[in-house]
Amino acid sequence: MTLADHPTITPPPATYGAVLGSRHVVRLLGGTLTGRLPNGMVPVGLVLWITGAGGTLAFAGLLAALYGLASALSQPVKGRLMDRFGQPRVSAPAAVLNSGCLFALPLIGAGGHPAAVAAVVGFAGLMTPPLEAGLRALWPSVLPDPAQRRFAQALDTGSQGLLYIAGPLLASWLAATHGPGTALIATSALGLAGTVVVLTAAPSRTWRPAPTVGAAGGGRLRSSGLVLLFTGLAATGFTLGAMNVWAAGMATAHGLDMLAGVLPAAFSTGSFLGGLLYARRTWPGTTTSHLITTAALFLLGWLPLLAHLRPHAAIALAVVPGLFLTLIITNAFHTVDALAPASRTTEAYAWLILSVGTGQAGGTALAGALSAHTAVLAALPAAGAATTLAILILARRKLGPGRRPGRHRRTRHHR
């Protein structure tokens, strides 16, 4: 058989139409975003549910933080299980238990025993289905072409910001029109429905992790490059958490309550636009150089916000650092692809998600403690961005450019 017997197949170009028109892409993206809507709806729904029944804002905030922290901390365990047993056997029971707990909260009542309510909320967080890490693991089989895969991953990361715009708005509207209990029930239904859409798709049902082959395939996640990457991304999460408190401080300082929501929304809009722009072309350089460059631009974007700005100027400038958030996260996931063992990629993705979430909780806590100091509060997001950049620069030799065979590549034996 000659070379002519194997004609070269040119993959479709990496455009919105080509990527979104590829089989399963819209279903997986839409299902994952719908299934993750509770991440943006539950905190607002819990606050409105507790305070609407006469409970304290402090207890409501504690429940919201407990849900988010439990969800983040359990990600690596669920990622490891998915790498061993596949996606449906892990995400399906997790989604059922998560939705069941959220559905049960209105039945317990906001006036129920605080320990019982906290236990149900915490367990619901632990059972959050790992849809984001699962989707990242599916892209190589859904989009074998690297250019299209990078496009889809940037679109995936950028669209996540919409969860924290649409989710709180939807939860607030449902609570205002149908009651806070109904908002929680609708949240549980949306999370379950989105998970079903993903898990019943053929890529999720048939996906299996790469088999363990020798020391490289069965390696542990103890790479110094991965540890430094996760640490750097935790500092990025710190920036996000501090930004939310900074936005609330701006709202208080200017007497405009809407700023507390508009500033993060402007930032998230920038993140979405940044993903769309980044995905439209192939950029020169390595993944490591992209990661460090975008981290530097992310820091520069925060510097103008250190000044005492008027509300309209702050809203416009908040878009700028958001443009580069998606680029940092996307290139961080590509770096995980290069450094993590092929049989542990879902778990490695989950550790990255945990790092960002943990850093975000730390940024929120520290910014809240320093909220009385206006100048310090404005500097905290930039400090987190500077820490990210410093860690990535120090770690640049450990972050690439080595690559490892992924589950979508053929081995020499198969050739």
Side-chain angles (χ1 to χ4, degrees):
M1 187 172 288
T2 65
L3 183 62
D5 295 324
H6 296 280
T8 301
I9 299 175
T10 302
T15 63
Y16 294 118
V19 173
L20 295 178
S22 298
R23 191 179 182 190
H24 305 301
V25 169
V26 170
R27 176 174 181 171
L28 292 174
L29 272 175
T32 299
L33 290 174
T34 303
R36 295 182 61 223
L37 263 178
N39 292 353
M41 295 179 67
V42 168
V44 174
L46 288 174
V47 169
L48 296 176
W49 180 60
I50 292 295
T51 56
T56 65
L57 182 59
F59 180 58
L62 177 64
L63 290 179
L66 175 63
Y67 183 88
L69 187 60
S71 176
L73 291 176
S74 62
Q75 287 290 326
V77 175
K78 289 176 286 192
R80 179 69 179 276
L81 292 174
M82 287 172 67
D83 278 333
R84 293 189 63 184
F85 302 110
Q87 296 194 1
R89 295 175 65 182
V90 176
S91 289
V96 170
L97 291 171
N98 173 269
S99 296
C101 288
L102 295 177
F103 187 88
L105 285 175
L107 303 179
I108 297 173
H113 196 283
V117 173
V120 173
V121 169
F123 187 73
L126 289 174
M127 292 297 106
T128 304
L131 295 177
E132 182 180 1
L135 180 60
R136 296 283 175 174
L138 292 177
W139 285 132
S141 60
V142 176
L143 295 170
D145 177 55
Q148 290 194 349
R149 191 160 61 249
R150 288 180 69 89
F151 193 104
Q153 288 171 334
L155 184 62
D156 173 20
T157 303
S159 61
Q160 290 178 31
L162 301 177
L163 296 175
Y164 300 97
I165 300 174
L169 291 175
L170 180 58
S172 300
W173 176 77
L174 288 170
T177 56
H178 302 286
T182 303
L184 288 175
I185 293 174
T187 300
S188 71
L190 285 170
L192 185 60
T195 305
V196 169
V197 168
V198 173
L199 297 184
T200 53
S204 179
R205 287 187 286 106
T206 60
W207 178 85
R208 293 295 181 271
T212 299
V213 180
R220 298 180 180 180
L221 297 178
R222 296 192 299 183
S223 160
S224 57
L226 283 175
V227 172
L228 290 169
L229 176 68
F230 296 156
T231 305
L233 269 291
T236 303
F238 178 94
T239 295
L240 303 181
M243 175 198 65
N244 291 326
V245 181
W246 166 75
M250 287 283 290
T252 301
H254 292 281
L256 295 172
D257 290 344
M258 69 174 186
L259 280 179
V262 172
L263 285 171
F267 179 86
S268 297
T269 301
S271 177
F272 180 65
L273 294 176
L276 297 182
L277 294 173
Y278 180 70
R280 287 184 65 86
R281 55 166 293 186
T282 300
W283 300 87
T286 64
T287 299
T288 302
S289 66
H290 291 180
L291 188 59
I292 294 175
T293 301
T294 53
L297 294 172
F298 186 59
L299 170 59
L300 291 176
W302 282 108
L303 297 182
L305 293 166
L306 294 174
H308 296 286
L309 301 172
R310 304 301 302 169
H312 289 90
I315 293 170
L317 289 174
V319 176
V320 178
L323 289 170
F324 304 105
L325 174 67
T326 294
L327 281 59
I328 294 175
I329 302 297
T330 298
N331 284 296
F333 276 110
H334 292 323
T335 304
V336 168
D337 280 336
L339 297 179
S343 60
R344 302 281 292 275
T345 49
T346 309
E347 182 185 356
Y349 295 149
W351 276 108
L352 181 58
I353 296 167
L354 170 60
S355 299
V356 176
T358 304
Q360 187 169 357
T364 302
L366 183 59
L370 300 175
S371 58
H373 305 280
T374 307
V376 176
L377 189 61
L380 286 178
T387 304
T388 296
L389 177 60
I391 293 173
L392 293 178
I393 290 175
L394 291 174
R396 66 188 182 279
R397 297 184 183 277
K398 299 180 181 294
L399 298 179
R403 302 183 63 85
R404 52 115 179 117
R407 62 179 61 87
H408 56 290
R409 302 188 179 190
R410 296 182 183 180
T411 64
R412 180 176 299 178
H413 173 73
H414 288 123
R415 293 196 194 97

